[in-house]
Amino acid sequence: MPFSGRRVSESLADLNLLKGWIKICERDHNDYEEISRYDSPTLWKAQGYTLRVIDIEENCIVIAGWDTRYVALSYVWGGVDQLRAVIANERELATEGALLQEKYRELLPQTIKDAMCLAAKMGERYLWVDSLCIIQDGPDIGNDVQNMDSIYGGATWCLVAASANGANDHLPRIGCLNLPCENAQQAAIVQERELAVILPTLTAAFHSSRWNTRAWTYQERVLSKRLLIVSEKQIYFNCFHDYTFCEDIEFESSTTKSHGANSEERAGQIYGVDGLTNFEVYARAVEAYSARNITYHEDALKAFAGIMAHLETSFRGLFLFGLPDKELDQALLWYPTSCSHPRQSRDGKRLFPSWSW
């Protein structure tokens, strides 16, 4: 047999296993060896941009350089009145121990607390979280949105809270409380051999996750070099070179490193998509993104801004209401693949031209 099974702990994930996945990918995939399929590196547009991160050791927000090793968090907003960085609290959040203050600690969502805890246990010091590392009412917020490709592309790995339906949900088996999985892996001893139920694949975990239905999380998923995905059943690892690991099956020592390239797992990818033209990569990304849900349609282009910023290097032009201006004639031939309606504002006004997706 090419692979062997693993018994998944009900209480606490094997952090050494998770660290090993990161190390294997870092060993085999040089981050500085053309991290995209295009000529220009992802971070060229980040020059002059202020990158803020959470210093987990000092419990405050600090300014980091693009050579700083940091982890990014991808999660579902909502369900709680959460702490946000704004102009009024920017200085205070930058002081040592600020996030331990009761007034801030109470407003810090549980998902973010658990993410900080896991990152620390994984030996990481810095964590990027949108609500705390972007000044939400700052004058440069537009620039922040445009730099999502640099932020997620620059992270050493991205923690995906696929098990959480809102910002205040615990992450099972990794948080400081070490909460067990609600549905543990079933196992039995048969003729002196332990047999266990195979847990869901990464594709199945994506299908059952609210996180994977949200428009904002699409670019976070496809712009990140590495994903550590926490689901209800188990934890997965996936990188854009198509290494896929999971807790219940041992792939690490195999030359395959994966279940194989599942088309649904790779849907909408913008890295590692050989044999496609630049326009085909763009079209697949638009199709995957458009199928997702967004609360405020005013944000439709903002939530896709990181993808467009990355693709500008291949089209060598700008985007006009989501369409590449250098290939506008071809882009205007788009058509819906399912029932669709014009995007409207909260007061019912049409937001974009009829020729824009």
Side-chain angles (χ1 to χ4, degrees), residues 134-153:
I134 293 177
I135 307 303
Q136 301 296 310
D137 59 351
D140 296 328
I141 191 168
N143 194 31
D144 293 317
V145 171
Q146 291 292 329
N147 272 289
M148 287 298 106
D149 59 326
S150 298
I151 292 169
Y152 280 94

Side-chain angles (χ1 to χ4, degrees), residues 19 29 34 37 47 65 70 123 128 161 168 173 215 224 248 282 285 300 344:
K19 291 177 186 177
H29 305 144
E34 194 196 12
R37 69 196 295 269
Q47 297 177 1
Y70 67 94
W128 187 90
N168 216 27
R173 303 171 56 242
S224 299
D248 71 330
Y282 157 77
Q344 294 183 341

Side-chain angles (χ1 to χ4, degrees), residues 20 24 27 35 64 83 93 95 106 112 144 181-182 203 219 239-240 275 287 295 302 318 323-324 328 339 346-347:
I24 289 172
R27 179 197 68 200
I35 67 174
L83 176 64
L93 288 176
T95 61
E106 290 180 349
I112 297 177
D144 293 317
C181 284
E182 294 183 3
T203 299
Q219 63 180 3
C239 72
F240 69 68
E287 181 178 1
T295 302
K302 294 178 183 177
L318 302 177
L323 279 63
L328 191 59
C339 182
R346 278 163 277 185
D347 57 4

Side-chain angles (χ1 to χ4, degrees), residues 37 44 50 55 118 126 131 144 188 200 202 264 267 277 304 331 334-335:
R37 69 196 295 269
W44 72 271
T50 301
D55 186 329
L118 175 64
Y126 301 107
S131 60
D144 293 317
L202 177 55
E264 293 186 59
T277 66
F304 197 68
W334 70 270
Y335 57 90

Side-chain angles (χ1 to χ4, degrees), residues 200-344:
T201 64
L202 177 55
T203 299
F206 277 153
H207 273 305
S208 63
S209 171
R210 182 170 182 261
W211 169 86
N212 201 49
T213 68
R214 306 304 300 166
W216 280 99
T217 61
Y218 168 72
Q219 63 180 3
E220 298 165 9
R221 172 180 168 180
V222 301
L223 290 172
S224 299
K225 297 191 293 287
R226 305 179 182 93
L227 301 174
L228 189 68
I229 303 146
V230 179
S231 76
E232 289 286 353
K233 297 289 187 177
Q234 65 171 324
I235 299 174
Y236 310 85
F237 173 85
N238 179 256
C239 72
F240 69 68
H241 288 92
D242 206 27
Y243 274 17
T244 299
F245 302 128
C246 57
E247 291 183 275
D248 71 330
I249 301 178
E250 182 182 348
F251 293 113
E252 297 83 8
S253 59
S254 167
T255 55
T256 304
K257 307 291 188 187
S258 174
H259 291 279
N262 186 299
S263 60
E264 293 186 59
E265 287 179 19
R266 304 293 293 167
Q269 291 294 319
I270 60 173
Y271 297 130
V273 281
D274 297 330
L276 297 181
T277 66
N278 294 332
F279 191 88
E280 287 171 330
V281 172
Y282 157 77
R284 291 197 339 170
V286 170
E287 181 178 1
Y289 170 76
S290 299
R292 292 174 171 240
N293 303 321
I294 192 166
T295 302
Y296 304 118
H297 286 282
E298 294 93 328
D299 295 334
L301 289 181
K302 294 178 183 177
F304 197 68
I307 303 295
M308 292 188 293
H310 176 78
L311 293 177
E312 283 177 2
T313 62
S314 62
F315 284 112
R316 304 190 184 281
L318 302 177
F319 282 78
L320 185 63
F321 291 106
L323 279 63
D325 61 1
K326 296 296 185 182
E327 299 190 33
L328 191 59
D329 52 349
Q330 184 177 2
L332 287 172
L333 298 177
W334 70 270
Y335 57 90
T337 56
S338 60
C339 182
S340 62
H341 304 280
R343 298 184 185 271
Q344 294 183 341

